[in-house]
Amino acid sequence: MAMDIPHKHAPSSSTSCFSQFCSSALRAKALKPSSTVSSGDGLIRRLGVFDLLLLGVGASIGAGIFVVTGTVARDAGPGVTISFILAGASCVLNALCYAELASRFPAVVGGAYLYAYTAFNEITAFLVFMQLMLDYHIGAASIARSLASYVATIFELIPALKGNIPPWVGHGGQEFFGGTLSINILAPILLALLTIILCQGVKESSAVNSFMTSTKVIIVIFVIIVGSFKVDVDNWSPFAPNGFGEILTGATVVFFAYVGFDAVANSAEESKRPQRDLPIGILGSLLICVLLYIAVCLVITGMVPYYMLGEDAPLAEAFTSKGLKYVSILISIGAVAGLTTTLLVGLYVQSRLYLGLGRDGLLPSIFAKVHPKRHTPVHSQVWVGIIAAVLGGLFNVHVLSHILSVGSLTGYSVVAACVVTLRWKKRTENQDSSKCISTWCEGVIWIVIVACCGFATGALYRFGASFIFMLVALVIAILACAALCFRQAYSEAPGFSCPWVPIVPSVCIFFNIFLFAQLHYEAWIRFVVLSLISVGIYAFYGQYHANPSSDDTIIYHIAPEEDGH
């Protein structure tokens, strides 16, 4: 009899643990309808609309404008301009979704994580955070290595140092154990300097970002103006030498050159007038980047025939070939400024996300601490700097570039889905009890179908399947979008409103997941493995420590229904 007791209670105990996990995982954050923030633990509001614009531009335009434009042009020809227009249009749609949610939840940090926590549930928010964090951590380390290489190149302009800087200082790294370790000491030093700047306060870090971003934008504009006098319009013909297919493929590549405008959404708690300024910062910075990219594409393909463009530094090589070597030096300086701001903003965003999870209890409370005088999350910022320094100092993280962008595409898709779900009118009082599923669950199913069709279309396109199969997947996605339009009732959003909901968010989800399907298969494996690890971390820590109300630390505020300002 005694041996039977465990068998009697084990199933119920297991069921109880599973029930508790489900109950915790499905919790959502309820935001309070208020328009002001009221906590001494909050960050300080010092960023105006111009600061936010520079923050978005600083995050988006790095060395990519000096490299990606040329490498894609080798395949797409002058049609690379259309690639950037298509990718920019897609990003504008994503930015509209971000702008609405940034306006709806203007009080505190969190970005995609906070939106998912409110619109869906705790486990979804934690999964989004983990996917974004891996992108940010590896990306920061990779950018730090590139920055170290460019800084070493600048140092080599000094005759005494030319050719005398060893690999372990700046260029690449000194490899050991067959390349398993790749030592680089300049990358951690640069990361330490930027971390110190960020710990000083948002005013100081914003000043550095504004200076460096202004510098690189001025250099890019100067490059465009000088290059325009060297353009030969005959180089633009044929405009699409390899057909529209290469232009579309190019759009999937250059899409990631625009990634970064979400950084503005994560500065919500430090914006002076978040409900007005955040949408301007998100959309304005993206439009500036679109215009700059298009102008650079036209200049570089007009100066040199597309098939003669270099792969490592095409823009610099194009000006050198025209006898304008001094412009090439300016381009190197612009690349340093671009990488610095991209890295600075990336580290800034990471610390604010850690701050949000620390407040909610999904991470240890030390991440929620804000320095009483500097008003910065020092512990989170130092932690982020250490992770990037270890990765950038010991490993050649460039080889991991093919598994990046998963987090960004996942986050963008979830944000678009949040716009749809948060617009649904409450129907609990009119819910038909005879229905098998609720109206909310039905809507989520249609959103998932749109996403699945996007992946199917992308996979079919990638592997060269018949156009008929892609058309079938596209038609199913359109029908699912139609169901979202006619099976749900939508309310007006407070503050900035994304147009044509749910059509615009559905297009965002479809195209984002289409791009997801274009990533290396190892990126898919990374997504699945990290998701499983995330569920494990949440099961053993997050569900027991999470506090969705967060009333003892800071109150999360939703935008008021009517804003007289």
Side-chain angles (χ1 to χ4, degrees), residues 37 55 71 79 114 119 123 130 133 147 155 188 221 258 317 327 380 428 451 461 499 520 524 543:
V37 68
L55 190 71
T71 54
L114 174 63
I123 188 67
M130 291 292 286
M133 272 302 108
L147 178 59
F155 284 149
I221 293 174
Y258 293 109
E317 291 174 16
V327 179
S380 296
T428 52
Y461 172 78
H520 197 280
W524 304 351
Q543 67 166 324

Side-chain angles (χ1 to χ4, degrees), residues 232-315:
D232 181 356
V233 293
D234 291 337
N235 290 330
W236 289 337
S237 180
F239 194 75
N242 297 316
F244 184 75
E246 286 296 339
I247 291 178
L248 184 59
T249 301
T252 65
V253 175
V254 303
F255 175 89
F256 304 107
Y258 293 109
V259 171
F261 57 82
D262 58 325
V264 181
N266 283 283
S267 65
E269 196 171 316
E270 289 158 295
S271 171
K272 292 178 181 177
R273 298 183 62 181
Q275 194 162 11
R276 185 202 69 172
D277 292 349
L278 289 178
I280 296 174
I282 291 170
L283 293 168
S285 61
L286 179 58
L287 291 175
I288 290 171
C289 294
V290 170
L291 293 175
L292 290 177
Y293 274 123
I294 291 173
V296 168
C297 288
L298 290 173
V299 166
I300 191 174
T301 55
M303 288 178 65
V304 180
Y306 71 93
Y307 51 83
M308 294 179 61
L309 289 170
E311 293 187 2
D312 295 327
L315 198 58

Side-chain angles (χ1 to χ4, degrees), residues 9 24 49 52 128 136 199 204 311 416 419 475 478:
H9 291 279
S24 300
V49 65
L52 296 175
V128 168
Y136 279 130
C199 287
E204 291 76 8
E311 293 187 2
V419 170
V475 169
I478 293 173

Side-chain angles (χ1 to χ4, degrees), residues 362-412:
L362 289 167
L363 290 178
S365 59
I366 189 171
F367 291 110
K369 295 184 181 298
V370 175
H371 195 281
K373 293 183 179 179
R374 304 190 188 281
H375 297 281
T376 56
V378 174
H379 297 90
S380 296
Q381 198 68 72
V382 171
W383 167 257
V384 166
I386 291 174
I387 294 292
V390 170
L391 290 176
L394 299 180
F395 304 101
N396 181 13
V397 287
H398 289 309
V399 300
L400 299 177
S401 60
H402 59 277
I403 69 167
L404 291 179
S405 303
V406 173
S408 298
L409 290 173
T410 302
Y412 286 4

Side-chain angles (χ1 to χ4, degrees), residues 303-347:
M303 288 178 65
V304 180
Y306 71 93
Y307 51 83
M308 294 179 61
L309 289 170
E311 293 187 2
D312 295 327
L315 198 58
E317 291 174 16
F319 279 91
T320 301
S321 68
K322 296 293 183 180
L324 300 172
K325 192 171 182 180
Y326 74 96
V327 179
S328 300
I329 297 173
L330 277 178
I331 289 171
S332 296
I333 296 172
V336 169
L339 286 168
T340 301
T341 56
T342 302
L343 186 55
L344 184 76
V345 176
L347 294 173

